[in-house]
């Protein structure tokens, strides 16, 4: 994907979102071939996000399967007017991965309480690293307030997992421009969401 850079990445991104949204509509109607196409188009990115959060390969595969099952079951609820298809699916994947982390941590905490009744509960460092405080709808609304260039840079960095250098190459712009778009986009998101710096 990074090898061939389009002259107009915004148009390419919009076309990709339109293709995914159309595939989701067909999936919502029960089209199994469309689901296969959707899987082929998105599975690597969804697995990549889940793997970054869970680290464990086997659990990442399980969660990715759960995400695609949820996509199959909830495709009729996708609303293209509220955000892009890839963002919808990546948010679902992010939530599933975080749920798995929280469930694993809860199991570990329960085992520790049973095994060490005389000790205080261990410090919960996993929850600190995965705590999510912003709901998807608030973020989606805030993302619409960014410029198209900021939104694209933030989406590719957060959902696509691209580094600053990869973003610069993908968007065919200087590294400094990418950093400025990301910084300005994140400042604007923070202001829109009312998050203190």
């Amino acid at each position: 994907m990074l090898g061939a850079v389009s002259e107009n990445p915004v148009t390419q991104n919009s076309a990709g979102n339109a293709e995914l949204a159309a595939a989701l509509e067909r999936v919502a109607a029960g089209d199994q071939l469309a689901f296969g196409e959707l899987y082929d188009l998105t599975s690597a990115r969804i697995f990549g996000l889940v793997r970054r959060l869970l680290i464990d390969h086997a659990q990442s595969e399980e969660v990715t399967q759960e995400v695609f099952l949820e996509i199959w079951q909830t495709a009729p609820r996708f609303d293209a007017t509220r955000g892009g298809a890839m963002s919808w699916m990546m948010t679902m994947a992010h939530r599933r991965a975080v749920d798995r982390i929280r469930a694993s941590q809860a199991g570990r905490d329960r085992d520790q309480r049973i095994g060490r009744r005389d000790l205080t509960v261990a410090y919960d460092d996993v929850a600190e690293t995965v705590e999510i405080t912003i709901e998807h709808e608030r973020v989606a609304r805030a993302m619409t307030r960014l410029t198209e260039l900021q939104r694209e840079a933030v989406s590719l960095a957060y959902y696509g997992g691209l580094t600053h250098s990869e973003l610069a190459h993908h968007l065919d712009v200087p590294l400094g421009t990418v950093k400025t778009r990301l910084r300005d986009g994140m400042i604007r998101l923070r202001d829109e969401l009312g998050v203190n710096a």
Side-chain angles (χ1 to χ4, degrees), residues 35-104:
F35 183 73
E37 292 170 17
L38 186 70
Y39 179 86
D40 291 342
L41 290 170
T42 62
S43 61
R45 287 183 63 193
I46 289 176
F47 177 76
L49 172 65
V50 172
R51 178 73 193 262
R52 275 191 301 281
L53 292 170
L54 295 181
I55 300 168
D56 180 80
H57 188 82
Q59 283 197 39
S60 299
E61 287 177 340
E62 287 177 22
V63 169
T64 301
Q65 286 180 342
E66 292 171 7
V67 169
F68 278 99
L69 177 60
E70 185 176 358
I71 289 169
W72 174 257
Q73 293 170 338
T74 63
R77 290 190 228 152
F78 171 69
D79 182 358
T81 63
R82 296 179 65 181
M86 194 69 211
S87 296
W88 183 73
M89 291 184 287
M90 293 293 272
T91 299
M92 194 179 298
H94 190 268
R95 284 185 176 168
R96 282 271 178 177
V98 170
D99 287 348
R100 177 65 64 99
I101 291 168
R102 288 180 176 157
S104 295

Side-chain angles (χ1 to χ4, degrees), residues 7-8 14 24-25 35 52 59 68 88 104-105 117 126 130 145 154 170 184 193 196:
E7 288 183 26
N8 188 347
S14 298
L24 268 174
E25 284 182 27
F35 183 73
R52 275 191 301 281
Q59 283 197 39
F68 278 99
W88 183 73
S104 295
Q105 184 62 38
R117 292 177 194 247
V126 173
V130 298
R145 303 241 169 83
V154 170
H170 180 77
D184 292 346
L193 296 168
N196 294 327

Side-chain angles (χ1 to χ4, degrees), residues 99-140:
D99 287 348
R100 177 65 64 99
I101 291 168
R102 288 180 176 157
S104 295
Q105 184 62 38
R108 282 192 297 272
D109 288 348
R110 184 180 56 248
D111 291 345
Q112 287 176 355
R113 281 194 305 273
I114 292 169
R116 302 178 193 169
R117 292 177 194 247
D118 295 336
L119 299 175
T120 58
V121 176
Y123 175 69
D124 188 0
D125 60 337
V126 173
E128 181 179 319
T129 61
V130 298
E131 184 175 331
I132 296 175
T133 58
I134 303 169
E135 287 299 317
H136 168 70
E137 292 166 3
R138 289 183 63 215
V139 173

Side-chain angles (χ1 to χ4, degrees), residues 111-189:
D111 291 345
Q112 287 176 355
R113 281 194 305 273
I114 292 169
R116 302 178 193 169
R117 292 177 194 247
D118 295 336
L119 299 175
T120 58
V121 176
Y123 175 69
D124 188 0
D125 60 337
V126 173
E128 181 179 319
T129 61
V130 298
E131 184 175 331
I132 296 175
T133 58
I134 303 169
E135 287 299 317
H136 168 70
E137 292 166 3
R138 289 183 63 215
V139 173
R141 234 184 343 265
M143 288 286 284
T144 64
R145 303 241 169 83
L146 301 179
T147 66
E148 185 62 34
L149 296 174
Q150 290 170 345
R151 185 171 36 257
E152 180 179 34
V154 170
S155 293
L156 287 171
Y158 181 75
Y159 292 116
L162 300 182
T163 66
H164 290 171
S165 299
E166 290 170 336
L167 272 171
H169 178 72
H170 180 77
L171 299 174
D172 197 24
V173 296
L175 183 59
T177 302
V178 165
K179 289 180 179 181
T180 300
R181 287 179 189 174
L182 285 172
R183 184 196 68 227
D184 292 346
M186 294 308 289
I187 288 171
R188 187 134 187 215
L189 276 176

